Amino acid sequence: MKKLITMLLLLALLTTSLPAMADERSDALYKGIRGTTVTILFDSEPTTLQKKQIKAFELKYGCKVEPFIMAWNDWKNQMLSLVVSGEVPDVCYVPDETFLKWLSRGLLMELDDYVIADDPIWNQQIWDMFSWMGKHYGISSNGISPLYCIYNASMFYEKGVKTPLEYYEEGKWNFKNFRKCAIEMTGDGVVGAGIGWRYALNLANGNSPVELDRENGQILITMNNEPAIAAIELQAELLQGGYSNMDGWGVPFGNGQVAMVLERPVNVIGQFDLRTTTMANAEIEIVPLPMGPDNEEGLVPCIADAVAIPKNAKNPLGGMAWTYFLAEYNEKHKNDEDVVANRRKTYTDEQWEFIQEYEEDATFINTFVYGVGDWYLGDWNYWTEMIYNGLTPQAAYAKYESEFQYWIDGMFLE
């Protein structure tokens, strides 16, 4: 009896830890793709792991996979012409950077008929984020990539500067002390802080440059409210003084030319394998972004991305079946040896445990601003006015408000 109880308890634990893999409604929905071909977008030839996943997917659903290979930048630049021609995969990736642009051009299909939205495998925040006027265009089991402050602790120790982690543990990791660290660490060929995303500090202060009224299909500028101004003032000051740059991650950080970077850890550390190459002898630490004075809710800045179906896809149900299959697969194999080894390229085990706890109950904030008109490159003139011409954020906004609004007005034209 004792052995039976132990087995039942173990079964219960497995069942509760994997609720998303027991939803029969989704399995029933995707059985409809048997005998079809599913065209899947890959940015390069499928890896050994991806080939293994493809075989398992084909076996489970009785379908055939046809890889559609195109590098990300090529896909991003050619998507419109591909949709018009009808030569598109059945599933693709859509980041917050391109979502509104693709949506406004009619390049994305509605997903509501192809997913069981309340299946617990899906991330509800992503489902809500990638919605517009009651319809949904993106889904993911994860899709949230929080921004962190990644810094070279060894450089801080050598210079005798108090570290971001020390401030964080004291509950004082805020804009004031981020500014202090950036200034104190600048000098002798080193820039104090690299900011990979221009509006990272806005997000850290609870502000997105544009606010989406998804229900009514409206985009509102929030660049001139108090949280935005406080963040932009700080960033402009750091850029003007040479204490920060907007291109400080990866190689410059790995070469010791930048002390801190505000970005996603995998883009800074893991992508360049810094722990075993140029920074093998350095101590790399990771803390949340400094908290802005107006971020009273403690919103966590992130980059958001989802999986979508391009317009004119021939097998949209198959595309969502692949997405669902991968979500299940990744959950089942998250502790596999190769997965853990790859994770350790970016995080120590202690850091991984910390961020899992930190993100568990977080409410995230991101921005879709780069998908609005020409904002992605066009706002450089706005920043230049502050960095090189000394304009205040209020004055720079007044100069470019009509241009920002022009970009917004050009969206979603019938």
Side-chain angles (χ1 to χ4, degrees), residues 45-183:
E45 287 290 337
T47 64
T48 301
L49 173 59
Q50 288 168 336
K51 289 177 181 178
K52 181 179 177 182
Q53 292 168 336
I54 288 170
K55 281 189 176 181
F57 175 69
E58 291 176 328
L59 182 63
K60 178 173 182 178
Y61 289 108
C63 62
K64 182 178 183 299
V65 167
E66 183 177 299
F68 184 106
I69 300 168
M70 181 173 282
W72 163 244
N73 281 333
D74 293 335
W75 169 254
K76 181 170 68 170
N77 295 328
Q78 297 177 39
M79 186 179 178
L80 175 59
S81 60
L82 290 168
V83 167
V84 170
S85 71
E87 297 301 319
V88 292
D90 296 316
V91 64
C92 71
Y93 162 77
V94 55
D96 50 24
E97 170 196 332
T98 62
F99 174 61
L100 290 176
K101 189 180 293 294
W102 288 357
L103 183 64
S104 71
R105 293 178 177 178
L107 303 183
L108 302 175
M109 289 181 64
E110 301 162 20
L111 301 185
D112 299 80
D113 292 336
Y114 302 109
V115 298
I116 306 297
D118 63 348
D119 184 321
I121 203 166
W122 302 124
N123 183 310
Q124 197 60 47
Q125 287 192 65
I126 291 294
W127 182 246
D128 294 338
M129 282 180 182
F130 288 81
S131 64
W132 197 251
M133 298 185 71
K135 298 173 182 177
H136 299 81
Y137 298 88
I139 199 163
S140 178
S141 60
N142 187 3
I144 299 287
S145 300
L147 299 171
Y148 285 88
C149 175
I150 303 104
Y151 68 97
N152 186 330
S154 299
M155 291 173 65
F156 277 78
Y157 301 150
E158 290 170 9
K159 205 161 185 178
V161 174
K162 192 171 182 178
T163 69
L165 181 58
E166 290 176 302
Y167 282 119
Y168 179 78
E169 289 176 339
E170 293 174 358
K172 296 178 180 178
W173 184 228
N174 50 36
F175 276 15
K176 176 184 176 181
N177 289 320
F178 170 69
R179 174 184 179 276
K180 191 170 187 290
C181 285
I183 293 173

Side-chain angles (χ1 to χ4, degrees), residues 3 22 67 137 142 144 159 183 217 221 252 267 334 337 366 397 409:
K3 183 177 180 182
Y137 298 88
N142 187 3
I144 299 287
K159 205 161 185 178
I183 293 173
I221 307 175
N267 279 18
K334 64 184 179 182
E337 186 176 341
N366 73 309
Y397 175 77
D409 293 341

Side-chain angles (χ1 to χ4, degrees), residues 326-341:
L326 277 188
E328 284 191 308
Y329 187 96
N330 291 336
E331 177 65 26
K332 289 177 181 176
H333 296 273
K334 64 184 179 182
N335 293 318
D336 284 4
E337 186 176 341
D338 58 340
V339 175
V340 173

Side-chain angles (χ1 to χ4, degrees), residues 126-401:
I126 291 294
W127 182 246
D128 294 338
M129 282 180 182
F130 288 81
S131 64
W132 197 251
M133 298 185 71
K135 298 173 182 177
H136 299 81
Y137 298 88
I139 199 163
S140 178
S141 60
N142 187 3
I144 299 287
S145 300
L147 299 171
Y148 285 88
C149 175
I150 303 104
Y151 68 97
N152 186 330
S154 299
M155 291 173 65
F156 277 78
Y157 301 150
E158 290 170 9
K159 205 161 185 178
V161 174
K162 192 171 182 178
T163 69
L165 181 58
E166 290 176 302
Y167 282 119
Y168 179 78
E169 289 176 339
E170 293 174 358
K172 296 178 180 178
W173 184 228
N174 50 36
F175 276 15
K176 176 184 176 181
N177 289 320
F178 170 69
R179 174 184 179 276
K180 191 170 187 290
C181 285
I183 293 173
E184 290 182 350
M185 289 303 298
T186 297
D188 300 323
V190 175
V191 174
I195 301 177
W197 287 78
R198 296 195 284 278
Y199 299 101
L201 292 180
N202 286 60
L203 297 178
N205 205 28
N207 168 262
S208 173
V210 292
E211 181 180 310
L212 305 189
D213 178 354
R214 292 175 173 83
E215 183 176 346
N216 297 304
Q218 295 182 341
I219 304 171
L220 308 172
I221 307 175
T222 63
M223 293 279 285
N224 206 36
N225 64 21
E226 289 185 12
I229 291 169
I232 294 167
E233 279 181 339
L234 173 58
Q235 184 148 327
E237 178 195 358
L238 295 178
L239 290 166
Q240 288 167 352
Y243 308 117
S244 177
N245 64 32
M246 290 185 174
D247 187 28
W249 48 290
V251 174
F253 179 72
N255 289 338
Q257 297 167 305
V258 176
M260 302 181 288
V261 181
L262 307 188
E263 241 289 354
R264 292 156 291 180
V266 67
N267 279 18
V268 178
I269 307 170
Q271 177 177 255
F272 297 96
D273 206 13
L274 295 185
R275 293 192 184 277
T276 60
T277 56
T278 58
M279 296 185 70
N281 297 318
E283 186 176 333
I284 306 172
E285 285 291 352
I286 302 171
V287 296
L289 258 59
M291 190 70 69
D294 300 298
N295 189 359
E296 297 175 356
E297 298 178 51
L299 301 174
V300 176
C302 75
I303 306 300
D305 59 71
V307 178
I309 301 173
K311 202 67 173 282
N312 294 332
K314 297 176 178 64
N315 190 356
L317 186 64
M320 283 298 100
W322 169 256
T323 305
Y324 185 79
F325 170 82
L326 277 188
E328 284 191 308
Y329 187 96
N330 291 336
E331 177 65 26
K332 289 177 181 176
H333 296 273
K334 64 184 179 182
N335 293 318
D336 284 4
E337 186 176 341
D338 58 340
V339 175
V340 173
N342 188 60
R343 187 186 75 208
R344 285 174 175 161
K345 290 182 179 180
T346 300
Y347 308 98
T348 66
D349 290 345
E350 184 180 10
Q351 289 168 349
W352 180 250
E353 183 179 350
F354 167 78
I355 70 165
Q356 294 304 297
E357 293 177 1
Y358 176 71
E359 295 174 14
E360 186 174 6
D361 298 316
T363 300
F364 296 97
I365 179 172
N366 73 309
T367 181
F368 288 91
V369 71
Y370 291 144
V372 177
D374 294 325
W375 210 300
Y376 186 78
L377 295 175
D379 75 333
W380 276 113
N381 292 330
Y382 161 80
W383 283 99
T384 297
E385 292 288 359
M386 293 178 287
I387 300 169
Y388 299 110
N389 298 333
L391 264 62
T392 65
Q394 295 93 328
Y397 175 77
K399 186 170 182 177
Y400 288 96
E401 179 183 8

